[in-house]
Structure formats: structure tokens, C-alpha cells
Amino acid sequence: MKVFITGGTTGIGLALAKEYLESGHTVGICGRDLSKLPADFTNKYPALKSYAVDVTDRELVKKTVHDFAQGELDLLIANAGRSVGSKTKKPDFDASRDVLNINIFGVLNSFEAALDIMLEKGKGHIVAVGSVAGMVGLPGASSYSASKAAVIKLCESYSLDLKKWNIDVSCVCPGFIDTPLTRKNDHSMPWLMEADRAAKMIKKALESKKSLYVFPWQMRSVMFILERLPRFLYRKMMGMKFANYSKDI
Ligand SMILES: NC(=O)c1ccc[n+]([C@@H]2O[C@H](COP(=O)([O-])OP(=O)(O)OC[C@H]3O[C@@H](n4cnc5c(N)ncnc54)[C@H](OP(=O)(O)O)[C@@H]3O)[C@@H](O)[C@H]2O)c1
């Protein structure tokens, strides 16, 4: 299989790349800074192609995915993303713009590039890494929650629209995974999972073409309830739990 993963230099994307490479697939990854890759990674996996690409650069993403695919692409995982740092009540509009740009337009640019190839071939699988944070409006993470909500709905619509062209669409929504993104969090992270384990679970879910995969199951259960709570109750609960967030940026 030919697999392209955006945001493959660290964290979940890197763990996914390793997982697919060890299963014998040809893998392409991108990130803005390839020096973040572990020292021996490219030597250890000759079937890996890595590209220095910012996913917000629409033309460069297109050129890169085409260069990697050479007309054949089975799976694209739009994983690149960022979150804002500490939880604050006051929105940081510069950071918010960047989060929305990377997390939403990065996915759109990647899907666009992959679909050029997959629609031509009449088959393929596109995947976005959303988050459980997109299932509710989390306090202190407005732009991150909004970006991931957009990704979840984008994938839901695409999964309906693209079926007739034999394109599968999945959205993966992890809970807390131990990566550089979460290591800067200053709050508790229940059911924190290793990236390698998360990658194995994601790969398995994608093999069965799940359209929405929320994991781990404990977090899926919590989100199931939070999504369905009357919103006044949700606001009350979250307001009490996160009353002490910093008032500063
Ligand atoms: N960790 C969690 O608990 C968790 C939970 C739910 C969802 N997620 C989602 O999972 C995805 C991966 O996150 P992670 O936890 O693995 O974080 P991470 O270790 O910080 O990895 C983020 C990856 O995205 C790349 N990236 C960021 N901005 C980019 C840009 N503009 N262009 C190209 N690449 C870019 C980074 O590479 P460069 O820095 O080299 O560009 C890096 O490879 C994200 O979409 C995140 O929102 C994570």
C-alpha cells in the first residue's frame, strides 16, 4: 500500500509511519521541520520518503502528494495539527487563527491533493485526525475544539458524498496521547496512552474502514454522555470544573 501521512515528524504521525513501514508499506510523511525525526529513522526505513512541507501551503501540499504518489495512493492520513498552550479564558486571536488554519485548511489541502489521484483511480481512503475535543466546546481550548468539530463534520459529509466514487472517509478522534502536543499540558490527562499503542489501534480501525473512531473506550463513553447532556448542565459542570483557569494569556 502507498500511505501518505501529514505531520509525521513527531507524535501520533511518527508512530503511524513506523507502524505502516513495519507492515511493509511505502510511506510518505511531511512536517515543517524534518530535523525532528529520530536520528536513525530514515536510514532504518528506506521505504520512507520525507518532505519538508507546511500543510497550509495548498500548492506545495498538492505538488508533494503527487510527487510521492506517482499516480498511486491508497491511504492519506491528514494528521498534522497544533493546539494552543495553556488553558486561558481570554482568547488569543493570533494563535486561534493559526490553529484553525493548520487544523482545518491543512486537512482540506491534504484531502484535495489525495482526491486528485484517488478519484482518477476510482478508489482510496482519506482520513483526518480529529479529537474528542471536537465533540464538545471545551473550556480554554475554543479554537482547538472548533477546528476539530469542523474536521469531524467535514469527514462525515465527505463519507456520504464520496461513497459513490468508491472513496472511504474516516475521522479518528483520540483522547489523550503522550506526544509533544500533550506534554505541555498543565492539567490532568485521564487514560493517557502511548503513541505507539494509539497508532496500532488507529491502523486496525482504518483497516475496517470505520467512519468515526473515538478511543480509548473510556473517553468514548465520557464523550457520549457529555455530547448528549442538556447544554445548560454541560456549561454548569465545566464551569465548576475549570473555574480556576488562568485569566492571563
Ligand atoms: N496527543 C493527543 O492527545 C491528541 C489527541 C487528539 C487529537 N490529536 C491530534 O493528533 C494530531 C497529531 O498530534 P500529536 O499529538 O502527535 O502532536 P505532535 O507530536 O505535536 O505532532 C504534530 C505534527 O504535526 C506537524 N505539524 C504541525 N503543524 C504543521 C504544519 N503547519 N504543516 C505541517 N506539519 C505540521 C508537526 O511537525 P512539524 O512541527 O515538523 O511541522 C508534527 O509532526 C493532531 O492533529 C492533534 O490535534 C492529538
Side-chain angles (χ1 to χ4, degrees):
M1 231 176 27
K2 264 187 157 176
V3 184
F4 194 88
I5 303 166
T6 71
T9 55
T10 60
I12 298 172
L14 177 65
L16 278 169
K18 204 166 87 187
E19 194 58 32
Y20 281 101
L21 285 162
E22 291 196 344
S23 306
H25 302 295
T26 303
V27 176
I29 57 160
C30 76
R32 291 160 303 179
D33 181 1
L34 296 181
S35 71
K36 289 183 181 172
L37 280 168
D40 57 341
F41 200 73
T42 44
N43 290 337
K44 192 170 170 197
Y45 299 109
L48 175 77
K49 288 193 176 162
S50 45
Y51 302 86
V53 170
D54 186 323
V55 289
T56 62
D57 185 336
R58 181 178 176 183
E59 286 312 312
L60 186 57
V61 171
K62 201 176 264 200
K63 188 173 166 294
T64 304
V65 172
H66 278 266
D67 179 78
F68 168 74
Q70 300 292 318
E72 294 281 346
L73 184 65
D74 301 287
L75 175 62
L76 174 125
I77 307 179
N79 161 77
R82 74 161 283 204
S83 73
V84 278
S86 58
K87 303 255 179 280
T88 59
K89 290 182 173 173
K90 190 171 156 200
D92 173 343
F93 287 102
D94 287 335
S96 295
R97 271 189 164 65
D98 197 43
V99 167
L100 294 170
N101 203 12
I102 295 172
N103 294 5
I104 302 177
F105 290 101
V107 170
L108 267 188
N109 293 343
S110 309
F111 279 5
E112 182 184 25
L115 285 175
D116 270 356
I117 299 153
M118 292 175 178
L119 288 172
E120 185 79 19
K121 280 275 161 195
K123 64 182 169 80
H125 189 181
I126 55 173
V127 178
V129 179
S131 169
V132 294
M135 301 171 84
V136 293
L138 281 181
S142 49
S143 55
Y144 188 68
S145 274
S147 71
K148 295 302 185 179
V151 164
I152 293 168
K153 295 305 172 198
L154 200 70
C155 288
E156 190 169 49
S157 293
Y158 282 158
S159 71
L160 300 169
D161 296 341
L162 298 175
K163 197 83 208 155
K164 57 180 168 294
W165 283 287
N166 200 26
I167 308 289
D168 294 298
V169 183
S170 304
C171 186
V172 171
C173 291
F176 291 114
I177 314 298
D178 184 16
T179 69
L181 182 138
T182 45
R183 273 172 221 144
K184 65 188 181 205
N185 284 348
D186 50 9
H187 53 80
S188 68
M189 293 187 278
W191 308 299
L192 183 71
M193 185 184 281
E194 291 300 317
D196 285 348
R197 180 156 173 241
K200 281 191 189 354
M201 292 171 74
I202 293 171
K203 181 164 171 281
K204 192 160 171 240
L206 295 183
E207 278 159 9
S208 58
K209 307 278 168 72
K210 274 190 193 301
S211 51
L212 178 66
Y213 180 51
V214 185
F215 74 103
W217 68 267
Q218 298 94 326
M219 190 61 98
R220 183 167 61 239
S221 312
V222 170
M223 298 318 296
F224 184 88
I225 296 166
L226 291 183
E227 265 189 314
R228 286 161 181 79
L229 273 182
R231 294 339 272 163
F232 81 92
L233 255 182
Y234 172 77
R235 280 196 298 274
K236 198 161 186 127
M237 257 179 67
M238 288 294 167
M240 283 185 319
K241 186 162 169 41
F242 297 102
N244 295 327
Y245 275 179
S246 167
K247 288 199 177 80
D248 312 317
I249 290 290

